[in-house]
Amino acid sequence: MAIIGKIRGNSTLVVGVVFGTLALFILGDWLGGKGQGQGPDDTVAGEVFGTEISRMEYEKKVAEQVEQAKANNPDLTTEQEDNIREDVWNQMVNKIIFDKELSSFNFVITPAELNDLIFGNNIQEYVRSTPMFQNRMTQQFSVDSVKIWRQRIERSPEGKAWWVNNLETPVKDNRRIGKYFNMIKQGLYVTSAEIQQNHIANNRKYKIRFITKSFAEIPDSTIKVTDEEIKEYYEKNKNKKKYEAGGSRAYSWVEFDLKPSETDKEDARKRAEDHAKGLKSAKSDSTYVMLYAETKVFNDQWSQAGMFPADVDTLVQKADSGTIIGPFLSTDPSKPGVEFWKVVKVRDTKTEIEMSARHILLRGDEKVTKPRADSIIRVIRKNKNFAEMAAKFGTDGTKDKGGDLGWFAKGAMVPEFETAVFGGKMNDLQTVKTSFGIHILEVTGKREAKRVKAAIVDVKVTPGAETDKTARAKAVEFLSGMKDATEFQKVAQKMNLTVKKNEISRNQKAVDENPNNMYMGNGSKGGTNGGRLVAREIHRMNENDISANPVLFNDKYVVIKLDNIKEKGVPEFEDVKEIMKAQVLIAKKGEQEAKKMKGAKSLEELATRLKLPIKQGELSFSSNQFPEAMGYENEVIGSVFAMSKPGDMSIPLKGKSGVYVVVITGITEAQPLKDTEKTDMKKNLTNMLRQRAQNDAYSAIRELAKIEDNRSVY
C-alpha cells in the first residue's frame, strides 16, 4: 500500500488509460480467433514490474482482436488497427500491474453483483463495448444480445468455458480494480486544518498598488548572452527532469515516387468497365458493391443533385432506373493525388417539390424585433432592396448573400419555417417566428427535383508491376552507387534527389501518413501504407547504417540513413542550447530591471524614474496569476503574502514574465469558520481529492512498474 502515500505527491500526473476498458481479451479460439501462428520467438515486446511481455503472445492477442473487429466491421482502417494494438498493449500492461497490486486484497464479487454488471442496471463498459453485443448497423449496445449469447453458449462446454474466461473473468477483474480504487478514495479525507488553510487562502485579500516591467517589453537584442553563460546554466540544470532527453534517432532519407502510369490508369479503367457489366446484371446491388468496390459503402438513401462531378451529375439526374453511367475518373478530396474509376448504377428515381427562399433573421426580444421586421418589410416593398436590407439587418450567415437560402426540400428547415415556405405565395413578404428569432421571409422559387438511389463501384488507380519495378530499380541504383554512408549525400545530389531529415523518439512506432515529412506518429495514429515498416527499420539500425533494401511508404520507395542515436537521460548541450538560452535571457532581464528598481523610497518615485504606470489590483493567496501579468507568478504572490501590513513596499520581485515592486494598501481578513466539519468546503475539497485519486494512484503505480515498451523495434 505504499501507493497511497504517493498520491498527494503526484497530484499533477496525467493518465491516458481508462480503466473501464481494461480487458483480459475478448474472443478466444472458441470463436475462431486462432492468431497468426508465428512460431517460436524470444523477442520481448516489453517489461512491467520485471515481468516480460512476449512479442509472440502480444501479436497473437492483437491478431485475435483485429479478426473479431473485422468480423463486425470488414472495412477496418489501419488507424483502427493501430488503436487495437495500443488497447491490447494497455490490457497486457494492466493485467500485470493489477495481478501484482491486487494480490494482497480479497475482493469478493457475488453472483448477484456479477449479474448486475452483465445483465442488470449497472452493466460494465467492458460489456457494452464488446462488438458481439452491439447492433451491426447502429453500433449500439443491446442487452438482449448479451442474453441471446448467454443462451447460445449454454449448449456446449466450450461455450461455457469461453463465457467464464472471456466475459465473467474480465468483468470480475474490472470490478475488483474499481473496488481497489474506491478503497483508496474512501481512505482520503481533508482535515480541519486543511479546510481552515484553504478558507484563508481564498478569502484573505490583499489590496495592492504596483509597478511592473514586463520581459516582453525588453528587446532580446539589448541583452547579450554568451555561450559560456549558457553552458554554466546547462551544467547547473542539465539533470533536472524538465530537460531530460527522452531518447531519439535522427535520420535522413530519399524518396522514389511510385505513381501510377498511364498504362496503370488504363488497366484500372478496363476493370471498371468489367464492373459496369457486372453491376448491370447483379441480382443484389448491395452485395456486388460490398464484394468488388474499393470503397465498400452501400447507401440506400435518396440522393439529390450535386453528389457527382457536374457532367456526371447531369447524366445521373436524367437517367432512368437501371441505367449504368461510367466509368468516369474521380478523385477523393481526403486523399490528394489518388484517383478512382467509378461506375454508377441508378437503382431508383422519384421527384419531390423543392422551394427556394430568402430571409432576414432578427434575433432578440420579440417586442423589439417584431416591430422592426414590420418596418423593414415596408422599406423593402417600397424600394425593392431585400438584399441590401439583409446585409444591413441580418444576423446569420446568409446576410452576405442577400439572405438567400438556396433550394431545399421538406425536412431541411424547422417546422414553423418550412410550413411558411411551402404554404407561402411566390414573392410575398411575411414574418415567421421560430426558435432562432423573427424571420422576414420571401419565397423565391418552386420546382420538381429528381431524387435517385445509386449503387457505386469504384476502382482505385494503383501502380502496376512494371511501374513498381521501375521505381524499385531507381532505389536499388541509388543503394548500389554508395560505398558507405559517407556518400549518401553525394550520390543523392548526383541523381538529383532531395535528402530530407527528421528525428523520432525512442518509443514511437509508426511514421505519419503524410509522405512529405515522415513525421513520427505516436503509435496510436498514422502508420498507414508502410509507416510501421519505416519506423521499425529506423529503430533496428545503428548509427551510419543505410537501410539494406528500399522500404515502401505512401506510394514511394524510401532509402533511409540513420544519422545519430541520442540516448535517454541527460541531454546533449546542443540539443537544449536554445531552450536554455531563453532561460538565461529571462534571468538577465530580471537582474537588469531589478537593479534599476532598487533604492526607491516610493512607488511614485520609481514610476517617475522608470516612466512606468502605477497599477492597482487585489490578490488572494490561492491566486496563481498576478493582475495584468502573463502566465503564473506563484513565487511573486508568495513573496507579497510574506509582507505583514499595509504600507509595506516589496523589494524588486523577479517573476516568470516580469519584475514587480508592490505596496500593500489594505488587508481584508477571512471571516472565521465556525464549524469546519459542517461546511460545503469540506465536502468540495474531499470530492476534489477523491476525484483525482484514481489517476494519481495509477500514475504512481506505473512509475513504480518501470514499464519498458520495446514494440518500436518490430
Side-chain angles (χ1 to χ4, degrees):
M1 290 305 294
I3 298 303
I4 295 178
K6 297 195 67 175
I7 292 174
R8 291 175 186 266
N10 290 278
S11 61
T12 60
L13 295 176
V14 178
V15 179
V17 177
V18 179
F19 287 95
T21 60
L22 175 68
L24 293 182
F25 310 108
I26 306 172
L27 300 178
D29 291 346
W30 184 71
L31 289 181
K34 300 290 185 182
Q36 293 179 332
Q38 298 173 9
D41 192 333
D42 295 329
T43 303
V44 176
E47 187 175 292
V48 183
F49 275 127
T51 300
E52 292 181 349
I53 297 177
S54 160
R55 171 190 169 183
M56 184 172 66
E57 181 185 1
Y58 167 70
E59 291 293 348
K60 181 175 182 291
K61 299 292 187 184
V62 170
E64 289 173 355
Q65 292 205 17
V66 167
E67 183 176 346
Q68 173 57 26
K70 285 185 175 179
N72 197 55
N73 176 17
D75 298 317
L76 198 70
T77 66
T78 305
E79 181 175 337
Q80 289 170 323
E81 288 191 26
D82 283 343
N83 288 336
I84 290 174
R85 298 185 72 86
E86 293 306 303
D87 288 343
V88 171
W89 171 254
N90 286 325
Q91 291 163 12
M92 298 183 81
V93 168
N94 285 339
K95 186 173 189 312
I96 295 172
I97 284 176
F98 289 107
D99 278 352
K100 175 180 175 62
E101 194 64 21
L102 300 183
S103 61
S104 302
F105 303 94
N106 185 26
F107 295 121
V108 176
I109 312 297
T110 67
E113 187 177 6
L114 181 61
N115 281 337
D116 187 46
L117 295 171
I118 298 176
F119 305 105
N121 297 322
N122 296 289
I123 297 175
Q124 207 174 81
E125 181 58 33
Y126 171 80
V127 179
R128 291 181 177 277
S129 61
T130 302
M132 69 174 69
F133 303 146
Q134 297 172 352
N135 182 290
R136 185 163 181 171
M137 297 300 293
T138 67
Q139 305 298 312
Q140 297 297 309
F141 169 76
S142 169
V143 70
D144 290 336
S145 296
V146 186
K147 295 175 181 177
I148 291 171
W149 272 95
R150 176 59 177 163
Q151 293 171 358
R152 185 181 302 173
I153 59 93
E154 284 290 339
R155 301 169 188 169
S156 70
E158 295 88 349
K160 291 179 181 179
W162 177 86
W163 183 270
V164 171
N165 294 331
N166 295 283
L167 193 73
E168 289 187 356
T169 297
V171 168
K172 286 180 179 179
D173 284 346
N174 282 340
R175 183 58 179 152
R176 290 189 185 101
I177 292 169
K179 289 187 175 185
Y180 170 77
F181 284 112
N182 284 335
M183 179 188 67
I184 292 176
K185 292 175 185 178
Q186 296 306 314
L188 299 174
Y189 63 94
V190 178
T191 66
S192 296
E194 287 175 316
I195 295 171
Q196 288 282 9
Q197 186 180 37
N198 185 268
H199 174 69
I200 292 171
N202 281 289
N203 295 286
R204 190 181 191 218
K205 306 288 186 181
Y206 274 25
K207 291 186 181 298
I208 59 172
R209 299 171 70 230
F210 64 96
I211 65 166
T212 179
K213 180 67 174 181
S214 170
F215 295 146
E217 298 174 358
I218 306 170
D220 291 351
S221 59
T222 63
I223 307 294
K224 183 179 179 181
V225 177
T226 66
D227 283 354
E228 288 71 25
E229 289 171 324
I230 303 173
K231 286 179 180 177
E232 182 181 356
Y233 182 90
Y234 168 79
E235 291 300 330
K236 290 180 180 178
N237 296 277
K238 64 183 180 182
N239 292 311
K240 289 185 176 179
K241 186 74 174 177
K242 67 178 181 178
Y243 294 120
E244 182 182 45
S248 63
R249 291 178 169 238
Y251 60 93
S252 304
W253 81 95
V254 292
E255 301 173 346
F256 301 87
D257 282 338
L258 185 58
K259 293 181 179 179
S261 66
E262 289 302 316
T263 300
D264 298 329
K265 184 182 291 188
E266 178 61 18
D267 288 343
R269 188 190 66 78
K270 290 178 179 178
R271 294 198 302 274
E273 282 185 340
D274 291 339
H275 286 310
K277 298 173 184 176
L279 187 58
K280 185 175 183 62
S281 60
K283 294 181 179 179
S284 171
D285 297 333
S286 60
T287 300
Y288 196 92
V289 169
M290 298 307 290
L291 283 174
Y292 300 112
E294 176 76 22
T295 306
K296 300 183 186 303
V297 175
F298 180 77
N299 186 354
D300 197 39
Q301 304 299 312
W302 292 102
S303 301
Q304 58 189 33
M307 65 177 294
F308 299 105
D311 53 342
V312 177
D313 202 69
T314 299
L315 295 175
V316 172
Q317 294 302 314
K318 292 180 179 179
D320 296 324
S321 296
T323 302
I324 296 292
I325 298 171
F328 58 89
L329 199 60
S330 178
T331 58
D332 185 342
S334 66
K335 301 173 183 176
V338 179
E339 293 181 314
F340 298 84
W341 285 103
K342 291 186 177 181
V343 176
V344 177
K345 180 179 183 180
V346 178
R347 303 176 56 243
D348 200 359
T349 66
K350 71 173 185 178
T351 58
E352 64 179 357
I353 298 299
E354 282 188 341
M355 305 293 289
S356 66
R358 55 182 178 176
H359 80 145
I360 301 171
L361 174 61
L362 305 177
R363 304 178 194 268
D365 188 346
E366 185 180 353
K367 293 179 180 178
V368 176
T369 57
K370 184 59 170 68
R372 180 179 297 169
D374 294 338
S375 176
I376 293 172
I377 286 175
R378 287 193 293 271
V379 173
I380 294 174
R381 284 173 175 162
K382 179 180 179 181
N383 299 323
K384 309 299 182 185
N385 60 344
F386 195 105
E388 178 186 338
M389 300 302 279
K392 185 174 182 180
F393 295 103
T395 59
D396 71 338
T398 67
K399 68 176 185 178
D400 295 328
K401 48 184 180 180
D404 185 23
L405 293 164
W407 291 96
F408 53 90
K410 286 187 175 181
M413 301 294 181
V414 293
E416 305 93 332
F417 194 89
E418 183 177 286
T419 299
V421 172
F422 281 84
K425 296 179 180 180
M426 198 72 64
N427 301 320
D428 191 20
L429 293 172
Q430 57 177 308
T431 58
V432 183
K433 178 183 176 183
T434 71
S435 57
F436 296 101
I438 296 293
H439 305 255
I440 299 170
L441 168 66
E442 181 183 7
V443 178
T444 56
K446 181 178 181 179
R447 70 182 183 186
E448 281 194 350
K450 190 171 184 177
R451 299 287 185 261
V452 301
K453 285 186 177 182
I456 305 171
V457 175
D458 57 345
V459 176
K460 184 178 179 181
V461 180
T462 57
E466 285 301 316
T467 303
D468 182 273
K469 182 178 178 180
T470 301
R472 188 176 178 84
K474 289 182 180 178
V476 171
E477 179 187 350
F478 172 74
L479 279 168
S480 62
M482 290 179 288
K483 295 179 181 178
D484 54 44
T486 60
E487 296 187 342
F488 192 90
Q489 183 76 39
K490 176 183 175 182
V491 176
Q493 289 178 342
K494 184 178 179 181
M495 295 181 65
N496 293 319
L497 299 171
T498 300
V499 176
K500 300 182 180 182
K501 293 181 177 291
N502 213 328
E503 191 168 336
I504 64 174
S505 73
R506 61 190 290 268
N507 286 326
Q508 289 174 316
K509 295 173 282 297
V511 176
D512 188 88
E513 61 185 359
N514 183 348
N516 296 319
N517 58 25
M518 289 184 71
Y519 171 74
M520 287 301 295
N522 63 11
S524 62
K525 293 180 67 177
T528 57
N529 300 327
R532 191 173 292 279
L533 294 176
V534 173
R536 181 179 68 185
E537 188 76 11
I538 293 169
H539 284 296
R540 284 180 169 180
M541 296 165 69
N542 296 316
E543 281 191 12
N544 292 315
D545 276 355
I546 296 174
S547 51
N549 296 295
V551 181
L552 187 60
F553 173 73
N554 274 325
D555 297 330
K556 297 173 185 289
Y557 277 112
V558 297
V559 175
I560 307 160
K561 172 180 172 289
L562 187 62
D563 299 324
N564 185 30
I565 299 175
K566 299 176 183 178
E567 300 297 338
K568 182 180 180 181
V570 177
E572 297 292 333
F573 173 71
E574 290 299 326
D575 293 336
V576 292
K577 180 178 178 180
E578 291 304 312
I579 296 173
M580 291 187 167
K581 179 181 178 180
Q583 296 302 312
V584 174
L585 193 64
I586 288 174
K588 294 193 74 171
K589 286 181 179 181
E591 291 168 3
Q592 172 184 284
E593 296 308 313
K595 187 175 181 179
K596 292 179 182 179
M597 293 179 178
K598 283 184 178 179
K601 304 293 185 184
S602 67
L603 278 185
E604 285 73 16
E605 175 192 335
L606 198 55
T608 301
R609 173 153 49 95
L610 299 180
K611 298 181 180 179
L612 293 172
I614 297 176
K615 302 177 181 179
Q616 299 184 36
E618 185 177 79
L619 284 174
S620 66
F621 189 71
S622 62
S623 305
N624 53 26
Q625 286 192 308
F626 203 85
E628 300 187 40
M630 298 292 291
Y632 299 138
E633 293 290 13
N634 293 324
E635 292 184 10
V636 173
I637 293 170
S639 297
V640 171
F641 273 83
M643 299 158 63
S644 59
K645 61 183 184 298
D648 285 353
M649 186 170 81
S650 73
I651 61 173
L653 304 173
K654 288 179 282 186
K656 295 181 181 295
S657 58
V659 180
Y660 308 81
V661 175
V662 182
V663 172
I664 299 175
T665 60
I667 299 176
T668 302
E669 297 293 347
Q671 295 297 316
L673 289 175
K674 295 180 180 179
D675 188 345
T676 58
E677 295 300 314
K678 293 183 179 180
T679 63
D680 288 338
M681 190 180 299
K682 178 180 177 65
K683 180 180 178 181
N684 293 337
L685 291 175
T686 301
N687 287 339
M688 289 171 58
L689 182 62
R690 290 177 176 175
Q691 283 172 4
R692 69 173 190 255
Q694 178 168 308
N695 280 357
D696 293 348
Y698 184 65
S699 294
I701 296 171
R702 287 182 68 93
E703 184 178 339
L704 292 176
K706 296 182 178 178
I707 300 169
E708 289 291 334
D709 183 355
N710 302 323
R711 292 175 296 153
S712 58
V713 300
Y714 63 83

